[in-house]
Amino acid sequence: MLIVETILKPDQFGGIGLFSAALLPKGSLIWIHNPIVDIAVTPEQYEALAPTFQALLDKHAYPRDYKANDGVVEYNADNARFMNHSSQPNTYQDDHCRILTARDVQPGEELTCNYLFFDPTCDLSWNKEPSVNVDAPTG
């Protein structure tokens, strides 16, 4: 569940992104797990859902615990589901399943996370983010 004020608006790639409404200093706590808002869906529950809601989960849910490989997905019922992927995110998840800022985040800046942290098998072929080549010469 998001615990900071955010704004939804178009991102740089033509989708919707989650943006900070205020200055968030490095280390700011922005998300904590709340089972009322962050809903676990079992494979059996998923199968019983209408196709329209299955499609919503397919787009916005992620494995609750990819290491358990139990098929349970988690759906954020608040605007956290609009946090986009970045290979250089400005947030991170700590050992207590909380999300914090990795650096100062300015008002109006998009909040991002690395999807591969939650799901190493995540298909990022849709991602239009420019790849970062650390071996590329500078200047």
Side-chain angles (χ1 to χ4, degrees), residues 26-44:
K26 179 181 180 177
S28 295
L29 182 62
I30 66 166
W31 185 94
I32 57 174
H33 183 267
N34 182 320
I36 296 169
V37 178
D38 307 308
I39 304 163
V41 180
T42 67
E44 296 79 20

Side-chain angles (χ1 to χ4, degrees), residues 114-128:
N114 186 335
Y115 287 3
L116 297 176
F117 182 82
F118 304 97
D119 181 8
T121 64
C122 179
D123 175 14
L124 293 175
S125 62
W126 54 267
N127 186 8
K128 299 175 188 170

Side-chain angles (χ1 to χ4, degrees), residues 16-88:
I16 299 292
L18 181 69
F19 294 79
S20 177
L23 173 65
L24 300 172
K26 179 181 180 177
S28 295
L29 182 62
I30 66 166
W31 185 94
I32 57 174
H33 183 267
N34 182 320
I36 296 169
V37 178
D38 307 308
I39 304 163
V41 180
T42 67
E44 296 79 20
Q45 291 169 323
Y46 176 90
E47 290 302 322
L49 292 169
T52 53
F53 202 80
Q54 287 178 351
L56 182 70
L57 291 176
D58 292 345
K59 182 170 183 159
H60 292 290
Y62 52 91
R64 177 183 60 183
D65 181 354
Y66 75 86
K67 293 175 187 171
N69 197 24
D70 58 6
V72 177
V73 296
E74 188 159 300
Y75 173 73
N76 302 126
D78 67 354
N79 287 341
R81 69 183 178 272
F82 293 102
M83 188 180 292
N84 286 319
H85 168 79
S86 174
S87 59
Q88 296 184 328

